Amino acid sequence: ILCNLIARRSALLELGGFNEALYPNEENALMDELQKRQAKLLYDPCLRVFRRPRPDLKAFLKMLTTYGRGRAEQLRAHPSLGSALNLAPPLFCFYLAGLAVMGIGAWFGAIRPFSNAVYGLALAPLFLYVLAVGAQGTYLLRQGGLWRALAALPLVFLTHLLYGVGFLRGLFTRLRPPEKRPSPEVVLEFPGCAER
């Protein structure tokens, strides 16, 4: 969001700028604080910034865990009711872990077999999740074709899973001031424009 954020200078200065210890998610904390002060936030889908994607799958997966960690650190530093939705990915991780424990325990006989009704109830959220991801796949199919849609579906699942893992990690990390954190390299590019 930050690469495409425009803010009034006076509002930023009044809040003391970004909390840089919350990287990433410093812009979300700032917007939450502005909303608490009754400031107006506008979203314009026509205002776009194109950002280079991560260079490979490993960098993409690391980004997901980093974003999840940042969201948990933001929740710890600035708790708000609006952040409750961010608990869905870590709860999804706990749910999947619980299903795995139930399945392994039943397989090895450590847990006595459950009735079909209990299994059905336990699997119902997973069924709804698969339906939701399938609906996303249908949308992607219309946008990018069959192969792109099929390739994207595992990434949708990994996004939810790794964001949740990162969030759980972020519940226990220590917020580091910017000077104690490695600085990412930022390169501004102006496609179609002469270098300045």
Side-chain angles (χ1 to χ4, degrees):
I1 297 170
L2 184 55
C3 68
N4 197 16
L5 181 68
I6 298 172
R8 291 183 193 271
R9 183 175 188 271
S10 58
L12 287 176
L13 292 175
E14 183 181 323
L15 292 173
F18 293 103
N19 179 350
E20 295 180 38
L22 289 178
Y23 173 80
N25 271 50
E26 68 276 17
E27 77 278 15
N28 294 302
L30 182 85
M31 289 187 297
D32 285 351
E33 200 56 43
L34 286 169
Q35 281 186 309
K36 286 179 190 172
R37 296 171 184 232
Q38 307 302 313
K40 186 185 290 188
L41 302 178
L42 300 173
Y43 170 71
D44 184 350
C46 294
L47 184 62
R48 296 179 184 181
V49 170
F50 293 96
R51 181 179 176 182
R52 179 179 294 154
R54 298 301 186 265
D56 54 32
L57 183 61
K58 181 179 177 184
F60 174 72
L61 299 179
K62 181 180 179 194
M63 175 196 74
L64 296 173
T65 55
T66 301
Y67 282 4
R69 175 192 51 79
R71 186 63 76 170
E73 290 174 349
Q74 178 197 347
L75 179 68
R76 287 174 31 217
H78 303 280
S80 71
L81 191 58
S83 295
L85 192 57
N86 296 307
L87 296 173
L91 291 175
F92 180 62
C93 290
F94 281 127
Y95 167 73
L96 290 178
L99 282 182
V101 167
M102 280 176 54
I104 292 169
W107 179 268
F108 289 108
I111 299 175
R112 68 180 179 85
F114 294 101
S115 69
N116 288 340
V118 171
Y119 275 127
L121 284 175
L123 291 175
L126 184 60
F127 177 73
L128 292 173
Y129 175 78
V130 169
L131 282 178
V133 171
Q136 178 70 34
T138 302
Y139 173 78
L140 293 172
L141 181 65
R142 293 173 144 187
Q143 299 296 315
L146 178 64
W147 295 115
R148 280 188 168 183
L150 290 175
L153 291 179
L155 296 176
V156 170
F157 171 73
L158 283 173
T159 297
H160 300 146
L161 185 68
L162 293 176
Y163 192 94
V165 168
F167 189 99
L168 293 170
R169 180 176 162 241
L171 292 176
F172 304 101
T173 54
R174 180 178 298 175
L175 294 179
R176 295 185 295 175
E179 61 273 4
K180 300 227 174 169
R181 213 175 333 101
S183 296
E185 180 183 339
V186 176
V187 178
L188 294 178
E189 297 177 356
F190 301 94
C193 299
E195 282 193 34
R196 299 172 187 189

